[in-house]
Amino acid sequence: MKNPLSYIKYPLLKAIDISGLTFLGPVVRLCYGEEPSVQMKKIGQWIFIPIIFIILFLFVWGIASEKIQTKSGALPNPTKTLQAYDSINTFAKREKLKKEAYEAHGEQREKLLTKAQERLAEIIPQAQAATELVTQEKANQKVKLASQIAPIKEEYKTSKRAFTESQKQRQTQLDHTSKKLHIGNEEQYQSFIQSVKEHQSQTETEKSTLRSIKIKIKEIENSSSKKVEKALQLQTIMAEEQQFLKKQIDQLTRDNKSLKVESEQLKIEENFTALTQVTGKEALKKAQSIVKTETRLEKTKASNYAKPSTLWFQVRRSILCVFTGFLLGSLIAIPIGILCGLSSTFMAAMTPFVAIFKPVSPIVWLPITLIIASGLIPDPDQNPLMKFLWGLPGELGEFKINPAFIASAATVALCSLWATLANTALGVASIDKDHLNVARVLKLGFWSRLFKIIIPSALPLIFAGLRISLGVGWMVLIAAELLSSSEGIGKFVWDQFNNGASDSFAKMIVVVFVVGVIGLILDRIMIIFQRMVSFEGSAATI
Amino acid sequence: MSTSLNSKFVEISHLVKEYPNPYGEDFRVIENFNLNIKQGEFISLIGHSGCGKSTVLTMLAGLNEISDGGIIVGDKEIDGPGPDRAVVFQAPCLMPWMTAYQNVMLGVKNVYPHATKSVQKQIVEHSLSIVGLSDAMKKLPNEMSGGMQQRVGIARAIALKPKMLLLDEPFGRLDSLTRMELQDVIINILAEENLTAMIVTHDVDEAVFMADRCVMMSNGPKAGVGEIMEINFPRPRNRQDVFNDPMFFRYREHLLAFLEQRSHIKGKTRLHNHEDLIGYLSSEDLKSLEAQYQD
């Protein structure tokens, strides 16, 4: 009672319980000194054991990645994956800076420019040094390998010589035998065939021996040392930064928005003074050119930096897409579910549709929804809805919602609505008879019975359904985006798959974790909602 | 004229409840159940488990379909449930997502749709204060004890200003102290509001202490009214006075004896008052009674 912290103990525990982060409960209780031994045991069970297993997993992953060789290189190990994550972030950061550079004007532009130029001046010698280091390390490596390879090469030469020798010998032997053959003597001929066979198989083994020695040499030649790899990595980093700085400077100078606007305005003014000095054909030409420049000026003023999409932009777009689809699905599923729960006749009418459409895979829905969406919006640039959506302020407009987005969202809706529908129907149908009796005694009308009794009592189950739906929707969405090329996480994976850069594979592994973590967060959010609408004794208290 | 009307405020005549039996004749739970209830009278309905007490009450409430016969309440034959006959269920049946106040308001809003918000609020607050819950209006059911929940159930029923209060084993799930408290709550409400009421109970003491007439049902199937016993303790009743009255034990004995000896006798209803209580019978008397009343 003396400690003010003691007042927040139970609210804190309640918040932990509602949010579903139950593993934090023992920690809080331990901080308040409640049964330390019991809490320690729980902490061990729910915090330490998982951490140990995560470490174990990383370890196994590291080992396994060395063993699994593919055409696109080895399976990325945890370190490589982390580096890929870093490079994704760096890319996003640089794109943001470039955008800022494009929009910078006046003093700020100059400031940024000097900063970029300074940095570039700094980095050029560093990059050169890195390149030199690479050549040097490679040369070192070559020398080092040469001593390893020399004896094997020697071995190769001697065996090759020996094999040619023996082959020649066998050949002459066979020639000799062939001359001594007696016509008609089948047995002799049979044995001759036998010796030819032996000769050929002997030659084959010799060839494969030589081949395997060659492979060994190649392997050693290709085996890269850690030093070379490190030098290469440094070189790549330097080259990337150099390239970025050059682009940034471009955005600050040649491609800068304010500069472009200025130069065009200047051009118009110049042309106008020139125009006022002439008449006739010349004047018409000048006036036309002014009008042309003016329209270009308007366009430049309205233009935005053409930012290539970063993973985080795609993640946000995917989240918007999944919620659009989820909302769409829920708007269909909840009313139909309520009707199914209320009327067994309606349920009977709906059952065949549910049974048939529920198992349909997103891969089947997507092409259909894509055709319908692009049929409804044949020309997105002219469509008023699209124009409206693109004109929305902030990122909502930048998302450039297009038919592919709508098709993906519709696919999410079609695949995810079933869980909500079934759970809503169940929730409404399994309402407590006593509650209905109360409603009858109170003579509640249909609507107040629906909104005051039936829906509140079905809410926990409805939310349990919504939670499943959102999970399914998130899974479906990635596949839908991958197929529809709707800008999003799925497209990111597809681009990486087709890209084939050295870290594409690692970036795909990064996406696994990004998708997993976002799915987890979405699930947690739904759990919180579900807890909030649940009541004592309701069917879906977790 | 008015007395004759009042004496038949509720008229249950030839009531039948049958359930379909696919392999033979329909299964009759209740047959030929007749009972008239005066306005302001408190009836207790008692009988062996499964004899159909609750069935009669739920039919009177309109929650259970009437197979044959009829029930008239205040000049009108009933057709389905209605707020004129408020029910207090065995389980409190509160909406778990609503506070005590909201639970009571649910019915009030519907029964007084034209009343102003403040009037509705007054009604809700008044009925909650009658059951002693002025301080717990904002509580959710899971924050209340069973007794408190049942108080809300009672408040919800009386807030409708019903003509009749139907109590379906309302205290069956409560401990005996809480039960006594709630019995007093009900008795006080009835004294103030002059309500007609019926209580279904297993508890012999409760049946005698609370009611003006105790209706004893014969065993099912085909259960009907076996005996009716008038109880003439003055109202409002005081627990101590009633329990100290020697008559209390005679009523009690009569009731227990009915349940043990005479509940199988079906046919004509036998009427008893404080002057001709019979208690336990010798086997010969029982036989002659059987011969006289069994059909």
Short mmCIF file of all heavy atoms in Angstrom, two decimals, chain A residues 431 434-445 448 451-454 456-458 533 535-536, chain B residues 62-63 81-83 85-87 89 91 93-98 106-107 109-111 142 156 160:
data_model
loop_
_atom_site.label_atom_id
_atom_site.label_comp_id
_atom_site.label_asym_id
_atom_site.label_seq_id
_atom_site.Cartn_x
_atom_site.Cartn_y
_atom_site.Cartn_z
N ILE A 431 -26.88 -19.14 -29.36
CA ILE A 431 -27.19 -18.17 -28.30
C ILE A 431 -27.98 -18.87 -27.18
O ILE A 431 -28.80 -19.75 -27.43
CB ILE A 431 -27.98 -16.98 -28.87
CG1 ILE A 431 -28.34 -16.03 -27.76
CG2 ILE A 431 -29.17 -17.42 -29.66
CD1 ILE A 431 -28.99 -14.77 -28.23
N ASP A 434 -31.96 -19.12 -22.56
CA ASP A 434 -32.48 -18.27 -21.49
C ASP A 434 -32.51 -16.81 -21.90
O ASP A 434 -33.45 -16.08 -21.59
CB ASP A 434 -31.61 -18.41 -20.23
CG ASP A 434 -31.80 -19.77 -19.58
OD1 ASP A 434 -32.84 -20.41 -19.87
OD2 ASP A 434 -30.93 -20.19 -18.80
N HIS A 435 -31.46 -16.41 -22.62
CA HIS A 435 -31.41 -15.02 -23.06
C HIS A 435 -32.55 -14.72 -24.03
O HIS A 435 -33.16 -13.66 -23.99
CB HIS A 435 -30.07 -14.71 -23.72
CG HIS A 435 -28.93 -14.71 -22.74
ND1 HIS A 435 -27.61 -14.81 -23.11
CD2 HIS A 435 -28.93 -14.62 -21.39
CE1 HIS A 435 -26.86 -14.78 -22.03
NE2 HIS A 435 -27.64 -14.69 -20.98
N LEU A 436 -32.84 -15.71 -24.89
CA LEU A 436 -33.94 -15.52 -25.82
C LEU A 436 -35.27 -15.46 -25.08
O LEU A 436 -36.16 -14.69 -25.43
CB LEU A 436 -33.97 -16.65 -26.86
CG LEU A 436 -32.94 -16.51 -27.98
CD1 LEU A 436 -33.09 -17.64 -28.96
CD2 LEU A 436 -33.09 -15.17 -28.68
N ASN A 437 -35.39 -16.28 -24.03
CA ASN A 437 -36.62 -16.25 -23.23
C ASN A 437 -36.80 -14.89 -22.57
O ASN A 437 -37.91 -14.37 -22.52
CB ASN A 437 -36.57 -17.33 -22.15
CG ASN A 437 -37.11 -18.65 -22.67
OD1 ASN A 437 -37.79 -18.68 -23.70
ND2 ASN A 437 -36.81 -19.74 -21.98
N VAL A 438 -35.70 -14.35 -22.07
CA VAL A 438 -35.77 -13.01 -21.48
C VAL A 438 -36.27 -12.03 -22.52
O VAL A 438 -37.17 -11.22 -22.26
CB VAL A 438 -34.38 -12.58 -20.95
CG1 VAL A 438 -34.39 -11.12 -20.56
CG2 VAL A 438 -33.96 -13.44 -19.78
N ALA A 439 -35.71 -12.14 -23.74
CA ALA A 439 -36.13 -11.23 -24.81
C ALA A 439 -37.61 -11.39 -25.10
O ALA A 439 -38.31 -10.40 -25.36
CB ALA A 439 -35.32 -11.51 -26.07
N ARG A 440 -38.10 -12.62 -25.02
CA ARG A 440 -39.53 -12.83 -25.30
C ARG A 440 -40.39 -12.22 -24.23
O ARG A 440 -41.42 -11.60 -24.50
CB ARG A 440 -39.80 -14.33 -25.42
CG ARG A 440 -39.26 -14.91 -26.71
CD ARG A 440 -39.42 -16.41 -26.74
NE ARG A 440 -40.82 -16.80 -26.81
CZ ARG A 440 -41.24 -18.05 -26.58
NH1 ARG A 440 -40.37 -18.99 -26.25
NH2 ARG A 440 -42.51 -18.33 -26.67
N VAL A 441 -39.96 -12.42 -22.94
CA VAL A 441 -40.75 -11.84 -21.84
C VAL A 441 -40.77 -10.33 -21.94
O VAL A 441 -41.79 -9.68 -21.72
CB VAL A 441 -40.18 -12.29 -20.48
CG1 VAL A 441 -40.84 -11.52 -19.36
CG2 VAL A 441 -40.38 -13.77 -20.29
N LEU A 442 -39.61 -9.76 -22.31
CA LEU A 442 -39.54 -8.30 -22.41
C LEU A 442 -40.18 -7.79 -23.69
O LEU A 442 -40.26 -6.60 -23.93
CB LEU A 442 -38.09 -7.83 -22.35
CG LEU A 442 -37.32 -8.19 -21.08
CD1 LEU A 442 -35.89 -7.70 -21.18
CD2 LEU A 442 -37.98 -7.60 -19.85
N LYS A 443 -40.63 -8.74 -24.52
CA LYS A 443 -41.27 -8.41 -25.80
C LYS A 443 -40.39 -7.51 -26.64
O LYS A 443 -40.84 -6.51 -27.20
CB LYS A 443 -42.62 -7.73 -25.56
CG LYS A 443 -43.74 -8.72 -25.33
CD LYS A 443 -44.75 -8.66 -26.45
CE LYS A 443 -45.39 -9.97 -26.65
NZ LYS A 443 -46.66 -10.27 -26.78
N LEU A 444 -39.10 -7.83 -26.72
CA LEU A 444 -38.21 -7.02 -27.53
C LEU A 444 -38.55 -7.22 -29.00
O LEU A 444 -38.89 -8.32 -29.41
CB LEU A 444 -36.75 -7.43 -27.31
CG LEU A 444 -36.17 -7.19 -25.93
CD1 LEU A 444 -34.69 -7.50 -25.93
CD2 LEU A 444 -36.40 -5.77 -25.47
N GLY A 445 -38.49 -6.16 -29.77
CA GLY A 445 -38.74 -6.26 -31.20
C GLY A 445 -37.57 -6.93 -31.89
O GLY A 445 -36.53 -7.17 -31.27
N SER A 448 -34.19 -4.79 -31.78
CA SER A 448 -33.48 -4.68 -30.50
C SER A 448 -33.07 -6.06 -30.02
O SER A 448 -32.05 -6.20 -29.34
CB SER A 448 -34.30 -3.92 -29.45
OG SER A 448 -35.51 -4.54 -29.25
N PHE A 451 -29.76 -6.52 -32.04
CA PHE A 451 -28.60 -5.69 -31.69
C PHE A 451 -28.26 -5.71 -30.21
O PHE A 451 -27.13 -5.44 -29.84
CB PHE A 451 -28.81 -4.25 -32.18
CG PHE A 451 -28.64 -4.12 -33.66
CD1 PHE A 451 -29.72 -3.88 -34.48
CD2 PHE A 451 -27.39 -4.30 -34.23
CE1 PHE A 451 -29.55 -3.79 -35.85
CE2 PHE A 451 -27.22 -4.22 -35.59
CZ PHE A 451 -28.30 -3.96 -36.40
N LYS A 452 -29.30 -6.00 -29.36
CA LYS A 452 -29.01 -5.94 -27.92
C LYS A 452 -28.68 -7.32 -27.37
O LYS A 452 -28.04 -7.43 -26.33
CB LYS A 452 -30.23 -5.36 -27.19
CG LYS A 452 -30.50 -3.92 -27.58
CD LYS A 452 -30.47 -3.02 -26.37
CE LYS A 452 -30.45 -1.56 -26.76
NZ LYS A 452 -31.78 -0.98 -26.78
N ILE A 453 -29.19 -8.36 -28.01
CA ILE A 453 -29.00 -9.68 -27.43
C ILE A 453 -28.22 -10.62 -28.35
O ILE A 453 -27.20 -11.16 -27.96
CB ILE A 453 -30.36 -10.30 -27.05
CG1 ILE A 453 -31.00 -9.39 -26.01
CG2 ILE A 453 -30.19 -11.72 -26.53
CD1 ILE A 453 -32.09 -9.93 -25.22
N ILE A 454 -28.71 -10.77 -29.56
CA ILE A 454 -28.11 -11.81 -30.41
C ILE A 454 -26.68 -11.44 -30.81
O ILE A 454 -25.75 -12.23 -30.60
CB ILE A 454 -28.98 -12.02 -31.66
CG1 ILE A 454 -30.31 -12.65 -31.24
CG2 ILE A 454 -28.28 -12.93 -32.65
CD1 ILE A 454 -31.33 -12.75 -32.32
N PRO A 456 -24.50 -9.10 -29.55
CA PRO A 456 -23.51 -9.08 -28.45
C PRO A 456 -23.14 -10.47 -27.96
O PRO A 456 -21.97 -10.73 -27.67
CB PRO A 456 -24.22 -8.30 -27.35
CG PRO A 456 -25.23 -7.47 -28.03
CD PRO A 456 -25.65 -8.24 -29.25
N SER A 457 -24.11 -11.36 -27.93
CA SER A 457 -23.76 -12.68 -27.39
C SER A 457 -22.98 -13.50 -28.41
O SER A 457 -22.24 -14.40 -28.04
CB SER A 457 -25.01 -13.41 -26.90
OG SER A 457 -25.46 -14.31 -27.84
N ALA A 458 -23.12 -13.15 -29.70
CA ALA A 458 -22.35 -13.88 -30.72
C ALA A 458 -20.99 -13.24 -30.97
O ALA A 458 -20.14 -13.83 -31.62
CB ALA A 458 -23.14 -13.94 -32.03
N VAL A 533 -14.39 -8.06 -26.40
CA VAL A 533 -15.83 -8.30 -26.57
C VAL A 533 -16.28 -9.58 -25.85
O VAL A 533 -17.46 -9.86 -25.80
CB VAL A 533 -16.25 -8.39 -28.05
CG1 VAL A 533 -15.98 -7.09 -28.75
CG2 VAL A 533 -15.56 -9.53 -28.74
N PHE A 535 -17.08 -12.17 -22.78
CA PHE A 535 -17.61 -12.00 -21.44
C PHE A 535 -17.51 -13.33 -20.72
O PHE A 535 -17.21 -14.36 -21.34
CB PHE A 535 -19.06 -11.52 -21.48
CG PHE A 535 -19.91 -12.25 -22.48
CD1 PHE A 535 -20.47 -13.48 -22.17
CD2 PHE A 535 -20.10 -11.74 -23.75
CE1 PHE A 535 -21.23 -14.16 -23.08
CE2 PHE A 535 -20.86 -12.43 -24.68
CZ PHE A 535 -21.43 -13.64 -24.33
N GLU A 536 -17.78 -13.31 -19.44
CA GLU A 536 -17.70 -14.52 -18.63
C GLU A 536 -18.56 -15.61 -19.25
O GLU A 536 -19.72 -15.39 -19.55
CB GLU A 536 -18.20 -14.19 -17.22
CG GLU A 536 -18.03 -15.30 -16.24
CD GLU A 536 -16.74 -15.14 -15.46
OE1 GLU A 536 -15.91 -14.30 -15.88
OE2 GLU A 536 -16.57 -15.85 -14.47
N GLY B 62 -46.23 -17.78 -20.95
CA GLY B 62 -46.35 -17.71 -22.41
C GLY B 62 -45.11 -18.19 -23.13
O GLY B 62 -45.00 -18.07 -24.34
N LEU B 63 -44.15 -18.72 -22.38
CA LEU B 63 -42.91 -19.18 -23.01
C LEU B 63 -43.05 -20.60 -23.54
O LEU B 63 -42.22 -21.06 -24.30
CB LEU B 63 -41.75 -19.12 -22.01
CG LEU B 63 -41.36 -17.73 -21.54
CD1 LEU B 63 -40.38 -17.82 -20.38
CD2 LEU B 63 -40.75 -16.95 -22.69
N PRO B 81 -45.71 -14.64 -24.59
CA PRO B 81 -45.23 -13.93 -23.42
C PRO B 81 -45.51 -12.44 -23.53
O PRO B 81 -45.85 -11.93 -24.58
CB PRO B 81 -43.72 -14.18 -23.46
CG PRO B 81 -43.41 -14.41 -24.89
CD PRO B 81 -44.64 -15.01 -25.51
N GLY B 82 -45.41 -11.77 -22.40
CA GLY B 82 -45.61 -10.33 -22.42
C GLY B 82 -45.15 -9.71 -21.13
O GLY B 82 -45.01 -10.40 -20.11
N PRO B 83 -44.88 -8.42 -21.17
CA PRO B 83 -44.35 -7.75 -19.98
C PRO B 83 -45.38 -7.64 -18.86
O PRO B 83 -45.00 -7.26 -17.75
CB PRO B 83 -43.93 -6.38 -20.51
CG PRO B 83 -44.64 -6.20 -21.78
CD PRO B 83 -44.95 -7.54 -22.33
N ARG B 85 -46.67 -10.14 -17.55
CA ARG B 85 -46.34 -11.29 -16.69
C ARG B 85 -44.82 -11.42 -16.64
O ARG B 85 -44.20 -12.09 -17.46
CB ARG B 85 -46.95 -12.57 -17.27
CG ARG B 85 -48.42 -12.74 -17.00
CD ARG B 85 -49.05 -13.64 -18.01
NE ARG B 85 -49.22 -12.96 -19.29
CZ ARG B 85 -48.87 -13.49 -20.45
NH1 ARG B 85 -48.32 -14.67 -20.52
NH2 ARG B 85 -49.07 -12.81 -21.55
N ALA B 86 -44.21 -10.75 -15.70
CA ALA B 86 -42.75 -10.77 -15.61
C ALA B 86 -42.27 -12.06 -14.98
O ALA B 86 -42.93 -12.61 -14.10
CB ALA B 86 -42.27 -9.58 -14.79
N VAL B 87 -41.14 -12.56 -15.46
CA VAL B 87 -40.63 -13.83 -14.98
C VAL B 87 -39.27 -13.62 -14.32
O VAL B 87 -38.43 -12.90 -14.85
CB VAL B 87 -40.47 -14.84 -16.14
CG1 VAL B 87 -40.09 -16.22 -15.61
CG2 VAL B 87 -41.73 -14.92 -16.96
N PHE B 89 -36.25 -15.99 -13.52
CA PHE B 89 -35.84 -17.36 -13.84
C PHE B 89 -34.96 -17.93 -12.74
O PHE B 89 -34.45 -17.20 -11.89
CB PHE B 89 -35.06 -17.37 -15.15
CG PHE B 89 -35.85 -16.90 -16.33
CD1 PHE B 89 -35.85 -15.56 -16.70
CD2 PHE B 89 -36.62 -17.79 -17.06
CE1 PHE B 89 -36.58 -15.12 -17.79
CE2 PHE B 89 -37.35 -17.36 -18.16
CZ PHE B 89 -37.33 -16.02 -18.51
N ALA B 91 -31.95 -19.40 -13.15
CA ALA B 91 -30.66 -18.74 -13.35
C ALA B 91 -30.99 -17.26 -13.55
O ALA B 91 -32.03 -16.94 -14.10
CB ALA B 91 -29.97 -19.30 -14.57
N CYS B 93 -30.06 -15.17 -15.64
CA CYS B 93 -30.27 -14.84 -17.04
C CYS B 93 -30.02 -13.39 -17.36
O CYS B 93 -30.77 -12.76 -18.09
CB CYS B 93 -31.69 -15.17 -17.50
SG CYS B 93 -31.97 -16.88 -17.61
N LEU B 94 -28.95 -12.85 -16.79
CA LEU B 94 -28.61 -11.47 -17.15
C LEU B 94 -27.74 -11.51 -18.39
O LEU B 94 -27.06 -12.50 -18.64
CB LEU B 94 -27.84 -10.82 -16.00
CG LEU B 94 -28.55 -10.82 -14.66
CD1 LEU B 94 -27.68 -10.16 -13.62
CD2 LEU B 94 -29.89 -10.13 -14.75
N MET B 95 -27.77 -10.43 -19.16
CA MET B 95 -26.88 -10.34 -20.30
C MET B 95 -25.48 -10.03 -19.75
O MET B 95 -25.29 -8.99 -19.12
CB MET B 95 -27.29 -9.21 -21.26
CG MET B 95 -28.73 -9.27 -21.70
SD MET B 95 -29.13 -10.83 -22.49
CE MET B 95 -30.83 -11.01 -22.03
N PRO B 96 -24.53 -10.92 -19.99
CA PRO B 96 -23.22 -10.75 -19.33
C PRO B 96 -22.48 -9.50 -19.79
O PRO B 96 -21.57 -9.05 -19.12
CB PRO B 96 -22.43 -11.99 -19.75
CG PRO B 96 -23.36 -12.86 -20.48
CD PRO B 96 -24.59 -12.10 -20.82
N TRP B 97 -22.86 -8.97 -20.97
CA TRP B 97 -22.13 -7.80 -21.49
C TRP B 97 -22.77 -6.50 -21.05
O TRP B 97 -22.35 -5.43 -21.46
CB TRP B 97 -22.06 -7.87 -23.01
CG TRP B 97 -23.39 -8.05 -23.65
CD1 TRP B 97 -24.24 -7.08 -24.03
CD2 TRP B 97 -24.03 -9.29 -23.96
NE1 TRP B 97 -25.38 -7.61 -24.54
CE2 TRP B 97 -25.27 -8.98 -24.52
CE3 TRP B 97 -23.67 -10.64 -23.80
CZ2 TRP B 97 -26.16 -9.96 -24.93
CZ3 TRP B 97 -24.56 -11.60 -24.22
CH2 TRP B 97 -25.79 -11.26 -24.77
N MET B 98 -23.84 -6.59 -20.22
CA MET B 98 -24.49 -5.36 -19.78
C MET B 98 -24.35 -5.21 -18.28
O MET B 98 -24.35 -6.19 -17.54
CB MET B 98 -25.99 -5.43 -20.11
CG MET B 98 -26.30 -5.37 -21.57
SD MET B 98 -28.09 -5.43 -21.78
CE MET B 98 -28.21 -5.33 -23.54
N LEU B 106 -32.98 -2.50 -20.38
CA LEU B 106 -33.35 -3.23 -21.59
C LEU B 106 -34.86 -3.41 -21.68
O LEU B 106 -35.46 -3.16 -22.73
CB LEU B 106 -32.63 -4.58 -21.58
CG LEU B 106 -32.81 -5.48 -22.78
CD1 LEU B 106 -32.17 -4.86 -24.00
CD2 LEU B 106 -32.18 -6.85 -22.51
N GLY B 107 -35.46 -3.86 -20.57
CA GLY B 107 -36.91 -4.07 -20.59
C GLY B 107 -37.66 -2.76 -20.49
O GLY B 107 -38.67 -2.55 -21.16
N LYS B 109 -36.98 0.24 -21.48
CA LYS B 109 -37.02 1.00 -22.74
C LYS B 109 -38.10 0.46 -23.64
O LYS B 109 -38.73 1.18 -24.38
CB LYS B 109 -35.67 0.87 -23.44
CG LYS B 109 -34.84 2.11 -23.30
CD LYS B 109 -33.73 2.11 -24.33
CE LYS B 109 -32.90 3.36 -24.14
NZ LYS B 109 -31.56 3.20 -24.63
N ASN B 110 -38.26 -0.85 -23.58
CA ASN B 110 -39.20 -1.48 -24.48
C ASN B 110 -40.64 -1.36 -24.00
O ASN B 110 -41.55 -1.26 -24.80
CB ASN B 110 -38.80 -2.95 -24.62
CG ASN B 110 -39.16 -3.47 -25.95
OD1 ASN B 110 -38.80 -2.86 -26.95
ND2 ASN B 110 -39.90 -4.55 -25.98
N VAL B 111 -40.82 -1.38 -22.67
CA VAL B 111 -42.19 -1.34 -22.13
C VAL B 111 -42.68 0.10 -22.03
O VAL B 111 -43.88 0.36 -22.16
CB VAL B 111 -42.23 -2.04 -20.76
CG1 VAL B 111 -43.60 -1.94 -20.14
CG2 VAL B 111 -41.85 -3.51 -20.92
N ASN B 142 -20.58 -10.51 -13.98
CA ASN B 142 -19.49 -11.34 -13.43
C ASN B 142 -18.77 -10.67 -12.27
O ASN B 142 -17.89 -11.25 -11.67
CB ASN B 142 -18.52 -11.77 -14.52
CG ASN B 142 -17.77 -10.62 -15.13
OD1 ASN B 142 -17.94 -9.46 -14.72
ND2 ASN B 142 -16.94 -10.90 -16.11
N ARG B 156 -35.32 -6.34 -12.71
CA ARG B 156 -35.71 -6.28 -14.12
C ARG B 156 -37.18 -6.63 -14.27
O ARG B 156 -37.91 -6.03 -15.05
CB ARG B 156 -34.84 -7.25 -14.93
CG ARG B 156 -35.21 -7.30 -16.39
CD ARG B 156 -34.24 -8.14 -17.17
NE ARG B 156 -34.21 -9.52 -16.71
CZ ARG B 156 -33.31 -10.41 -17.09
NH1 ARG B 156 -32.35 -10.05 -17.92
NH2 ARG B 156 -33.33 -11.64 -16.64
N LEU B 160 -40.88 -3.61 -14.97
CA LEU B 160 -41.85 -3.62 -16.05
C LEU B 160 -43.25 -3.27 -15.55
O LEU B 160 -44.17 -3.19 -16.33
CB LEU B 160 -41.90 -5.00 -16.71
CG LEU B 160 -40.56 -5.59 -17.17
CD1 LEU B 160 -40.78 -6.98 -17.74
CD2 LEU B 160 -39.94 -4.70 -18.23
#
